[in-house]
Amino acid sequence: MPLPASLTASQLVRLAADPDAFAGELARPMPRPPRPAARRGTRFHAWVESRFEALPLPFLGPDELPGGVDDDEAAEPDGTGIADERDLAELKAAFERTPYAHRTPYRVEAPFRITLAGRVIRGRIDAVYRVEEDADGTGAAYEIVDWKTGREGTADPLQLAVYRLAWAERHGLPLSAVSAAFVHVRDGRVVRPAALPDRAALERILLGGGAGEGE
C-alpha cells in the first residue's frame, strides 16, 4: 500500500507502531464515531490557549488538535452532559497543579509542516516554551510540550521527535537546542524521553526501515 504524499504526525506514529494495521487503515478507511474523550481533549487545548492568548482558538475539529484524538484518549469510556463537564473541570484543576500553569508559553497550538523522505508531515505543537541556556551556553533554547489528557498515561516519544525536528529546522536550530516533554495533565507527571529519533531515523520509518537509533 503506497503512502499518501501528506501525513499527520499522528499517522506517522501509527505507521511506526504497526505498519500492517496502518496499511489496513489506508486500504479501507472507516469513519470514526464521535468520541467524548476526544471532544474533551479539544476543549482542554482551547482552554489552555485562551489562558495565554487574547484571541480564542478558531474552531478546529478533534482530528486537528494533537492530543485531542490520541489513542490513549480515544480509548476512554464515553461520557456526556454533567459527567463530561465535571471531567473537563477536573482537567483544568489538574493543569493548575502542573509546573506549567504559571509559565507563559512562547507559542501555543503552533502549526507546522515538514518534509520527510519526500512526504509532508503536518501537525500542531501544543505549546513551546523558551528556556534559559546553561551557563556554558549548551542548554536547550526551547522546550516543546505536548499535553496528555487521557487516562492511560502512555505516549509515544516519536510524536515529540517529529515536533522537535520541525521546530528546530523551522528556526534554524540544532536539535540540541530543543528539548521536549509530555505533560500528563491528570496526575501532573512530566516525561522527557531520552534519545529522540533524528531526521534520518524518522525518514527510515517512511522508507520502511523502522526508526532505529536517533541521536
Side-chain angles (χ1 to χ4, degrees), residues 90-202:
E90 290 174 357
L91 280 172
K92 292 178 180 180
F95 176 79
E96 298 290 355
R97 296 190 291 271
T98 71
Y100 295 89
H102 302 292
R103 291 178 58 189
T104 301
Y106 176 70
R107 292 285 185 273
V108 289
E109 297 300 338
F112 71 84
R113 288 176 179 267
I114 185 172
T115 300
L116 294 172
R119 288 178 169 79
V120 174
I121 309 300
R122 64 189 190 279
R124 287 178 180 266
I125 300 170
D126 289 354
V128 182
Y129 291 84
R130 284 187 183 274
V131 295
E132 294 185 3
E133 293 186 347
D134 296 335
D136 60 1
T138 60
Y142 293 93
E143 182 180 35
I144 301 295
V145 172
D146 188 76
W147 315 120
K148 291 299 179 188
T149 59
R151 298 180 186 278
E152 293 298 314
T154 58
D156 193 325
L158 198 64
Q159 181 183 8
L160 289 182
V162 175
Y163 295 172
R164 182 183 68 147
L165 179 67
W167 185 263
E169 293 194 351
R170 179 178 177 180
H171 295 276
L173 299 168
L175 283 178
S176 60
V178 184
S179 61
F182 289 118
V183 176
H184 295 273
V185 178
R186 292 182 186 275
D187 60 14
R189 285 182 301 122
V190 179
V191 179
R192 296 183 174 89
L196 292 173
D198 58 12
R199 167 176 276 276
L202 292 172

